[in-house]
């Protein structure tokens, strides 16, 4: 039906322009005008169908996956295939000679292959984005796989273009390239090694998109944004971007804070050095005073009959531990303790050891700061002195 419409339109324009049947150049020009006009009509029609009507249908659908996959870029590339197919369908209108016919066929076959490759590449990218946005397969280096597939697609496209221009079979071109495999392996060495490293990182669950990692050697400390064939992109906490090769993470050491993020708390260890000369046994009057404090009344009652009497450092630790036990920011299902470490020339270290339910960096640092400041402020109440080098 379309062919008859083309033929009728061609005859009408030829009659209007007075093109004679024997004039090949004018016939070709007339056919070209017809094809261009119809192609433009098909292009704008398909663009409207795909980018307007189809987009409305996609937005009304209940699933979200199609919204991620069929983006504006994908729909535009689909609509671009329609006029190219029209040009291929009616290529027989160009009958000026065999040489021009061959040139025309090659140009639009190559154009169709290139457009199809771009469409597949765009679909791969949007599919990867859809998986990430839906929270699926985040632990796999999909960007690396996508980039490798894209390289393969465009390599195949290049081979196809060369074969089309030379009127050869793609198999013949690939056979000829087999002798250059060693050279290609050297050229794409980093890509292949990076891809294998990315797969190993994923299979061993060493790192995935969204993980907080620390790579001190390269001054990288932040969240993994992307794992590609050749790089791992890390957004540092100071808003800078650091890129490192996957092989570096595979061969060198780095810290992944994913376990902490998934656990019930983030560990806090804060210590304060107490001057050993201020540590002493408390008197009965002091025990009676602290027995009136609800925070450690129960502990003091048990210590009253003990000989020798407890030290002010012991009461200090008991008071700090009681505070931690009542703090809503502390995970009580994990280790909570206040301990003394081995004395040094700087005094006796008293350390808080617990897990904070607050994991966000800024708030977590605030919790640590408040705990340390409280330790300093309480020391004097128990007659303890913080070590200060004179």
């Amino acid at each position: 039906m379309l062919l008859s419409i083309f033929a009728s339109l061609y005859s009408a324009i030829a009659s209007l322009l007075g093109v004679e049947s024997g004039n090949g150049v004018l016939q070709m020009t007339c056919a070209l005008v017809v094809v261009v006009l119809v192609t433009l009509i098909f292009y704008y029609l398909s663009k409207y169908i795909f980018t307007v009507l189809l987009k409305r249908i996609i937005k009304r659908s209940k699933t979200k996956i199609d919204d991620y996959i069929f983006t504006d870029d994908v729909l535009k590339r689909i609509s671009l295939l329609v006029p190219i197919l029209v040009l291929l369908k009616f290529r027989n209108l160009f009958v000026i000679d065999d040489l021009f016919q061959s040139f025309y066929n090659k140009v639009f076959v190559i154009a169709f292959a290139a457009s199809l490759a771009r469409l597949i590449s765009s679909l791969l990218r949007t599919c990867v984005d859809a998986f990430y946005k839906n929270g699926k397969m985040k632990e796999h280096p999909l960007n690396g796989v996508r980039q490798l597939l894209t390289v393969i697609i465009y390599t195949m496209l290049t081979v196809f273009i060369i074969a089309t221009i030379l009127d050869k079979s793609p198999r013949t071109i690939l056979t000829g390239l087999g002798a250059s495999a060693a050279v290609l392996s050297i050229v794409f060495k980093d890509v292949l090694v990076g891809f294998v490293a990315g797969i190993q990182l994923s299979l061993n669950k060493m790192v995935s998109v969204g993980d907080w990692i620390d790579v001190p050697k390269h001054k990288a400390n932040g969240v993994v944004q992307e794992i590609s064939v050749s790089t791992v992109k890390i957004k540092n906490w100071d808003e800078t971007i650091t890129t490192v090769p996957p092989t570096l993470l595979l061969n060198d050491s780095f810290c992944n804070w994913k376990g902490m993020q998934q656990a019930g708390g983030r560990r806090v260890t804060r210590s304060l050095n107490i001057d050993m000369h201020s540590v002493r046994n408390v008197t009965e009057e002091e025990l009676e005073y602290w027995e009136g404090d609800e925070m450690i009344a129960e502990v003091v009652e048990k210590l009253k009959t003990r000989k020798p009497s407890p030290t002010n450092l012991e009461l200090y630790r008991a008071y700090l531990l009681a505070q931690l036990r009542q703090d809503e920011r502390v995970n009580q299902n994990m280790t909570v303790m206040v301990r003394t470490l081995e004395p040094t020339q700087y005094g006796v270290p008293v350390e808080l050891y617990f897990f904070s339910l607050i994991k966000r960096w800024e708030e977590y640092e605030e919790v640590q700061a408040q705990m340390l400041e409280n330790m300093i402020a309480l020391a004097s109440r128990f007659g303890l002195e913080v070590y200060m080098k004179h």
Side-chain angles (χ1 to χ4, degrees):
M1 180 179 177
L2 287 175
L3 184 60
S4 61
I5 294 174
F6 261 57
S8 301
L9 185 58
Y10 171 74
S11 299
I13 294 177
S15 300
L16 183 63
L17 298 177
V19 177
E20 299 177 359
S21 59
N23 195 327
V25 176
L26 287 178
Q27 284 181 333
M28 185 274 294
T29 304
C30 182
L32 179 62
V33 171
V34 173
V35 171
V36 169
L37 288 175
V38 176
T39 301
L40 288 174
I41 293 172
F42 270 87
Y43 171 71
Y44 286 108
L45 181 62
S46 64
K47 187 177 180 181
Y48 176 77
I49 292 173
F50 286 105
T51 62
V52 179
L53 297 182
L54 184 58
K55 192 173 181 179
R56 289 177 183 174
I57 296 173
I58 291 171
K59 285 186 175 180
R60 291 176 182 175
S61 65
K62 295 181 179 180
T63 59
K64 293 294 183 182
I65 189 70
D66 53 359
D67 295 335
Y68 298 138
I69 294 177
F70 294 103
T71 60
D72 290 340
D73 184 57
V74 170
L75 294 176
K76 286 179 181 178
R77 293 188 180 188
I78 294 175
S79 64
L80 187 61
L81 286 174
V82 175
I84 297 177
L85 287 172
V86 171
L87 288 169
L88 287 173
K89 175 70 176 179
F90 299 104
R91 60 184 178 273
N92 292 330
L93 289 174
F94 295 93
V95 291
I96 182 172
D97 55 39
D98 294 338
L99 179 62
F100 187 84
Q101 185 77 18
S102 174
F103 173 77
Y104 176 86
N105 290 341
K106 288 179 180 180
V107 168
F108 288 103
V109 166
I110 291 172
F112 175 77
S115 298
L116 186 61
R118 291 183 65 210
L119 173 60
I120 296 174
S121 175
S122 182
L123 280 171
L124 285 173
R125 182 170 58 255
T126 54
C127 286
V128 169
D129 292 341
F131 278 118
Y132 283 146
K133 289 177 180 178
N134 262 7
K136 298 178 180 179
M137 300 180 72
K138 275 193 172 183
E139 295 184 354
H140 299 275
L142 296 180
N143 269 321
V145 176
R146 177 189 66 79
Q147 290 181 349
L148 183 65
L149 290 175
T150 302
V151 170
I152 294 173
I153 290 170
Y154 281 104
T155 301
M156 294 174 61
L157 174 63
T158 303
V159 171
F160 178 78
I161 290 174
I162 295 173
T164 302
I165 293 173
L166 299 179
D167 287 325
K168 300 287 186 180
S169 169
R171 183 180 298 177
T172 305
I173 303 298
L174 289 173
T175 303
L177 290 175
S180 305
V183 177
L184 291 174
S185 63
I186 295 174
V187 173
F188 294 102
K189 176 184 175 183
D190 292 338
V191 174
L192 296 174
V193 172
F195 175 72
V196 173
I199 295 296
Q200 288 180 306
L201 289 174
S202 172
L203 292 177
N204 296 324
K205 296 183 178 180
M206 297 173 67
V207 66
S208 58
V209 174
D211 287 359
W212 170 14
I213 66 171
D214 183 12
V215 191
K217 186 176 180 180
H218 288 262
K219 298 180 180 179
N221 186 4
V223 178
V224 176
Q225 285 192 320
E226 180 182 336
I227 302 176
S228 65
V229 171
S230 57
T231 59
V232 176
K233 185 183 293 184
I234 305 166
K235 185 176 182 181
N236 300 312
W237 298 116
D238 60 0
E239 300 300 324
T240 59
I241 302 293
T242 300
T243 56
V244 297
T247 50
L248 183 141
L249 298 181
L250 191 65
N251 298 327
D252 293 346
S253 61
F254 69 96
C255 179
N256 191 333
W257 295 89
K258 182 178 181 179
M260 178 275 296
Q261 292 175 321
Q262 293 178 342
R266 184 173 177 180
R267 191 183 69 170
V268 175
T269 56
R270 278 292 179 267
S271 62
L272 186 68
N273 290 324
I274 300 296
D275 192 331
M276 286 184 285
H277 295 94
S278 64
V279 179
R280 57 176 175 78
N281 295 103
V282 295
T283 63
E284 292 185 5
E285 290 77 9
E286 288 175 317
L287 283 175
E288 290 178 2
Y289 170 79
W290 287 113
E291 192 176 11
D293 192 312
E294 295 182 359
M295 189 71 71
I296 57 172
E298 187 177 343
V299 175
V300 173
E301 186 177 354
K302 294 179 181 179
L303 294 175
K304 282 180 66 176
T305 57
R306 198 185 75 183
K307 298 295 182 181
S309 60
T311 64
N312 55 350
L313 182 57
E314 185 176 0
L315 293 180
Y316 176 59
R317 289 191 295 106
Y319 198 93
L320 291 174
L321 181 60
Q323 284 185 328
L324 291 178
R325 291 295 185 188
Q326 296 181 18
D327 198 316
E328 296 179 350
R329 299 169 298 179
V330 177
N331 189 332
Q332 304 298 334
N333 296 321
M334 302 180 75
T335 304
V336 181
M337 63 180 176
V338 181
R339 59 179 180 172
T340 54
L341 304 179
E342 185 177 353
T344 68
Q345 58 180 329
Y346 303 109
V348 183
V350 177
E351 182 184 70
L352 303 183
Y353 190 103
F354 64 94
F355 290 83
S356 169
L357 291 171
I358 297 173
K359 305 174 189 176
R360 194 168 179 269
W361 192 15
E362 298 92 333
E363 298 174 4
Y364 167 77
E365 291 294 341
E366 181 65 20
V367 170
Q368 293 191 104
Q370 290 176 3
M371 292 297 183
L372 181 58
E373 292 159 2
N374 180 63
M375 289 179 71
I376 297 172
L378 278 176
S380 60
R381 289 189 60 190
F382 291 86
L384 296 169
E385 295 181 5
V386 178
Y387 178 84
M388 298 287 289
K389 187 175 181 180
H390 300 291

